[in-house]
Amino acid sequence: MKVLVLGSGGREHALVWKLRQSARIAKLYCAPGNGGIAEDAECLPVDLKNLDSMVALGMQVQPDLTVVGPELPLTLGVVDEFTRRGWPVFGPTKAAAQLEASKSFAKEFLQRHRIPTAAYAICDSMEEVREALALFHAPVVVKADGLAAGKGVVIAASKEEAASVAAEMFSGKMVGEAGTRVVLEECLKGDELSFLVLSDGERVAPLVAAQDHKRVGDGDTGPNTGGMGAYSTVDIVDDKMRDWLVNHIAKPVVEGMKAEGAEYKGVLYCGLMMTARGPMVLEFNCRFGDPETQPILMRLESDLVDALDACVEGTLAETELRWRPGASACVVASSAGYPGSYKTGLPIAGLDAAAKVDGVVVFHSGSSQANGQILTGGGRVLGVTAAAPSLEEALTRAYQAMAEIHFDGIYFRRDIGHRALRRTP
């Protein structure tokens, strides 16, 4: 079969890497791809911000299965358009993708279906922000309502700071149109958890859980990013908690969306805070997370094509996901200055040596190829990912491989997995 992956990041490289292992695939495409993906799939040009461009690509490729990586094509309705033309596609419709595209929609949906989440207020003006802040205790979480590439969330230490952040969002200077509406939330305390499930519109199948590291600096300091690293272990959630999350969060979401006329097919990413009151939903993503996908897929033993195909065909109950025991970890190498401004086009050295470290795969997040040389091409450049029997060993391997990689201004966190390591006896 011919499979097309839409996207160009580390998540898409991990998807391509895993899909390529399937005996069912005769031809694998990625659009637009990146310098690393080009080693594993045929990369084709496309404008992921333009629905007509993606439809034209579909007409060219005539894919047997399309896997949508990033969020923007989903919110533009690429699944609706591909489905209308008879091209099987993995991902939710435009209506279902509102769970990610609008934080206010997600919060109201959670409230309607009594799914646990933080107290909140939706604000369309600074006057509403000031009125709502009187009901909150500091710190206050300020969120841009729309898509902001993982950078539209600020934890304000005081109400004054929260008001200032909201004003900057409303002005358009901070996150553009994503900030035309603002959501205020109580600041929850606990450990964050990335819990992803596959859905065929009725049933759900959980993936192994992972934990992301959003802040740019060691010790979870500095501004939020798209993610600086992630890990997955066999004991990150036990069987009892996994079943609770499926039955009290994931299933109610899928059932609720269907009841509201927006059947949910694809992957549902539940960003959770494990609080003293129990698990609470922080956010939803309607696609695989980045960088969580990298360590999750490193642990997937069964055929990814079978699983994605089952979601599209509505046969998820007949598909078994098999997982490798042990642990996996991803450490992101970013450009100096990220998540602010940064340089691109810098030569990357040491990739071959890094890939030779046992259990390591180097996924490209933002890279390009020119004259046989791999160059930096984004804020997050690489996701050095390792699998091993234990988290300690997986991290050792990832950092050993990272030590082989060099480009001007390379930056990475040196404490990925620190929460889990503290809990290890």
Side-chain angles (χ1 to χ4, degrees), residues 291-313:
E292 295 96 331
T293 302
Q294 291 88 306
I296 287 173
L297 291 186
M298 286 284 279
R299 293 189 55 204
L300 181 62
E301 208 166 48
S302 50
D303 192 316
L304 181 60
V305 175
D306 290 345
L308 304 188
D309 208 21
C311 292
V312 176
E313 298 298 326

Side-chain angles (χ1 to χ4, degrees), residues 104-119:
S104 59
F105 173 88
K107 295 297 287 190
E108 290 174 333
F109 175 88
L110 288 164
Q111 188 175 51
R112 283 196 300 275
H113 295 278
R114 298 181 180 180
I115 299 169
T117 191

Side-chain angles (χ1 to χ4, degrees), residues 78-106:
V78 70
V79 170
D80 309 65
E81 289 299 318
F82 274 41
T83 301
R84 192 163 63 86
R85 288 166 171 79
W87 304 328
V89 55
F90 175 85
T93 62
K94 182 177 181 178
Q98 286 183 90
L99 280 173
E100 177 171 7
S102 171
K103 291 184 175 61
S104 59
F105 173 88

Side-chain angles (χ1 to χ4, degrees), residues 344-355:
T344 60
L346 303 171
I348 304 173
L351 291 171
D352 290 341

